């Protein structure tokens, strides 16, 4: 059985799978240090394109807009998604539960073109000018469901007796949620926030419908620039984004693991006492 588990076929399949996923990123990172402006011709190692990128005001402005949209939309999506997950798990059967659940999870299967067009028509109907606010609201709409899925999976396995014990000791439902439930499910909440933030950084279709002339996001800017040809500055920018996302994911994973171990140790100490 061990030979079958670590066979050459499995090792080759795993290698090819990882190469298919990460080899293009590796090539992009390597060519971001290319001396030549031609991205297909290697002319030596250089970091000058990173310096050129820092002086490109168009990319910097787009990055600032993307960062603002990502922070606002992921935070709002995390709050709403956590509330929706808590209602789905704790409120049990209630009138309209099926409709409520369908409305939460609909953006998961809805094509982005339809979502973007619907939001565009909605913002026009209410007279809201397109800008950072409309992009943030649009990103909140589709990323909230992902947060809800992540938090729901944690609440399903949550020991409800801990909440009941807090209520028996005199806590209000809100205090029990704030003092007991939220710290325990915090790793899932943080994971949901990071997922929503990553989706916001990556979105192109919905942002293209809901953005305005003065609120161009980084994916839109990159897509517009690539249509005229890939430049080394785009490679440098993509490399920086890959590095930021990688560091963020690793840091969040380590922090969540540390908190989970700490909560397990606290629960074991409480049981021993």
């Amino acid at each position: 059985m061990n030979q079958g588990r670590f066979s050459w076929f499995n090792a080759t399949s795993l290698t090819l799978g990882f190469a298919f996923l990460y080899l293009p990123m590796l090539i992009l990172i390597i060519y971001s240090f290319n001396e030549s402006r031609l991205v297909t011709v290697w002319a030596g190692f250089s970091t000058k394109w990173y310096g050129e990128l820092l002086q490109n005001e168009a990319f910097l402005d787009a990055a600032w807009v993307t960062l603002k949209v990502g922070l606002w939309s992921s935070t709002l999506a995390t709050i709403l998604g956590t509330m929706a997950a808590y209602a789905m798990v704790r409120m049990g059967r209630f009138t309209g539960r099926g409709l409520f659940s369908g409305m939460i999870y609909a953006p998961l299967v809805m094509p982005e073109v339809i979502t973007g067009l619907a939001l565009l028509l909605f913002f026009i109907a209410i007279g809201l000018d397109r800008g950072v606010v409309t992009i943030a609201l649009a990103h909140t709409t589709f990323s909230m469901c992902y947060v809800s899925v992540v938090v729901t999976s944690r609440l399903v396995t949550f020991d409800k007796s801990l909440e009941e014990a807090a209520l028996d000791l005199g806590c209000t439902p809100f205090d029990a949620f704030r003092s007991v439930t939220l710290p325990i499910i915090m790793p899932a909440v943080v994971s949901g926030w990071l997922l929503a933030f990553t989706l916001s950084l990556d979105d192109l279709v919905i942002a293209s419908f809901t953005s305005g002339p003065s609120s161009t996001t980084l994916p839109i800017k990159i897509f517009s620039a690539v249509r005229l040809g890939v430049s080394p500055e785009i490679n440098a920018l993509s490399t920086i984004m890959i590095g930021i996302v990688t560091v963020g994911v690793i840091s969040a994973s380590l922090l969540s693991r540390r908190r989970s171990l700490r909560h397990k140790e606290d629960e074991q100490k409480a049981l021993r006492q």
Side-chain angles (χ1 to χ4, degrees):
M1 183 177 295
N2 291 335
Q3 293 179 354
R5 182 179 301 175
F6 298 102
S7 64
W8 284 106
F9 176 78
N10 292 339
T12 303
S13 300
L14 184 64
T15 302
L16 292 176
F18 277 111
F20 178 78
L21 291 174
Y22 296 107
L23 186 59
M25 296 184 186
L26 180 61
I27 294 175
L28 183 147
I29 294 173
I30 292 174
Y31 275 92
S32 69
F33 298 98
N34 187 13
E35 174 72 23
S36 174
R37 178 169 287 275
L38 300 176
V39 295
T40 58
V41 178
W42 181 261
F45 181 85
S46 176
T47 60
K48 69 176 183 179
W49 302 115
Y50 289 89
E52 294 286 340
L53 177 63
L54 295 177
Q55 297 178 0
N56 193 320
E57 294 184 1
F59 278 120
L60 294 178
D61 292 340
W64 175 239
V65 171
T66 303
L67 182 61
K68 288 192 295 184
V69 169
L71 291 174
W72 280 105
S73 63
S74 58
T75 302
L76 186 57
T78 301
I79 296 173
L80 296 177
T82 302
M83 293 172 62
Y86 190 83
M88 291 289 295
V89 176
R90 289 289 185 263
M91 293 183 64
R93 296 290 178 180
F94 57 89
T95 304
R97 188 180 190 277
L99 178 62
F100 181 70
S101 176
M103 292 176 65
I104 292 175
Y105 300 130
L108 287 171
V109 296
M110 188 72 67
E112 291 186 348
V113 174
I114 296 178
T115 302
L117 180 59
L119 290 169
L120 172 62
L121 296 176
F122 174 74
F123 293 142
I124 293 175
I126 64 176
L128 184 60
D129 294 333
R130 286 179 293 169
V132 175
V133 175
T134 55
I135 303 174
L137 292 176
H139 285 184
T140 302
T141 301
F142 76 86
S143 60
M144 183 186 73
C145 58
Y146 292 92
V147 177
S148 180
V149 170
V150 174
V151 178
T152 298
S153 63
R154 180 64 183 92
L155 283 172
V156 169
T157 60
F158 179 78
D159 188 2
K160 193 176 179 179
S161 62
L162 298 175
E163 281 186 351
E164 295 174 349
L167 294 174
D168 292 339
L169 293 174
C171 288
T172 63
F174 177 76
D175 290 335
F177 174 80
R178 179 177 57 85
S179 303
V180 179
T181 307
L182 187 59
I184 295 177
I185 67 172
M186 185 57 69
V189 175
V190 173
S191 299
W193 188 93
L194 288 172
L195 180 59
F197 184 74
T198 303
L199 291 172
S200 178
L201 292 181
D202 181 64
D203 177 67
L204 171 65
V205 177
I206 295 178
S208 63
F209 280 96
T210 57
S211 62
S214 60
S215 59
T216 302
T217 61
L218 201 54
I220 296 176
K221 184 63 180 178
I222 293 175
F223 180 75
S224 300
V226 167
R227 297 178 64 181
L228 302 176
V230 180
S231 66
E233 293 180 8
I234 297 178
N235 291 339
L237 177 61
S238 302
T239 301
I240 293 174
M241 292 179 65
I242 292 173
I244 293 174
V245 172
T246 301
V247 172
V249 170
I250 294 175
S251 300
S253 178
L254 294 176
L255 182 61
S256 299
R257 183 178 179 182
R258 182 178 300 177
R259 288 183 176 178
S260 299
L261 293 175
R262 186 178 300 172
H263 285 305
K264 289 181 180 179
E265 292 177 356
D266 292 340
E267 291 178 359
Q268 291 178 356
K269 291 180 180 179
L271 292 174
R272 292 174 182 175
Q273 294 177 355

